[in-house]
Amino acid sequence: MEVEGKIKLIGQTETVGNGFTKRLLVVTTDEMYPQHISIEFVKDKTSMLDSYTVGQPVKVSINLRGREWTSPQGEVKYFNSIQGWRIEAAQTSPAATAPSAPSDPSNWPTMKDAPKTSEEFDDLPF
């Protein structure tokens, strides 16, 4: 699976447990309702984030992980996590960098600029 968006946050590398390292990356998607996706990079993958900066568009390859946990009281709970295993700078599309239409209405095309067709006729009864 992949997540594309702009980097919102790059956390510091943390060491937990018996030398297990992890690092948090938050990517904000570019959609109608942007999502802030928290992705963990673990072990030797933490250094992959060193060459990226906040605000940079990226594509992150992820694995969705799930696990079951039973509390001391016997209650079963389920947890999900998102682990990143590859990150690369996102390619900007030519359409995204193309200049927008001119804002001056005098430059807009008009009906007189439209091509004439042989099927043009007025069949309205009034």
Side-chain angles (χ1 to χ4, degrees):
M1 298 175 74
E2 293 179 340
V3 174
E4 288 190 54
K6 287 187 180 176
I7 296 175
K8 181 179 178 93
L9 174 104
I10 301 175
Q12 297 296 318
T13 301
E14 300 175 36
T15 303
V16 293
N18 298 331
F20 180 81
T21 56
K22 66 179 184 174
R23 191 168 184 188
L24 178 68
L25 173 75
V26 178
V27 174
T28 302
T29 61
D30 183 25
E31 22 185 32
M32 185 173 182
Y33 300 104
Q35 301 296 307
H36 306 287
I37 309 296
S38 173
I39 303 167
E40 279 188 337
F41 283 76
V42 297
K43 299 181 183 177
D44 59 331
K45 306 284 189 219
T46 60
S47 62
M48 290 180 160
L49 303 178
D50 292 342
S51 60
Y52 293 92
T53 59
V54 172
Q56 186 174 3
V58 292
K59 181 176 12 174
V60 183
S61 298
I62 61 167
N63 288 326
L64 188 58
R65 302 281 185 209
R67 67 181 187 277
E68 180 180 276
W69 177 74
T70 305
S71 72
Q73 295 79 22
E75 182 181 1
V76 177
K77 293 190 178 190
Y78 297 92
F79 296 93
N80 297 319
S81 62
I82 301 172
Q83 284 188 353
W85 55 273
R86 181 173 56 194
I87 182 170
E88 58 189 85
Q91 301 297 319
T92 56
S93 66
T97 58
S100 60
S103 58
D104 181 9
S106 66
N107 294 332
W108 292 355
T110 62
M111 286 306 292
K112 69 179 172 108
D113 299 324
K116 304 290 184 206
T117 66
S118 61
E119 297 178 3
E120 279 190 26
F121 62 92
D122 187 4
D123 65 344
L124 296 176
F126 48 91

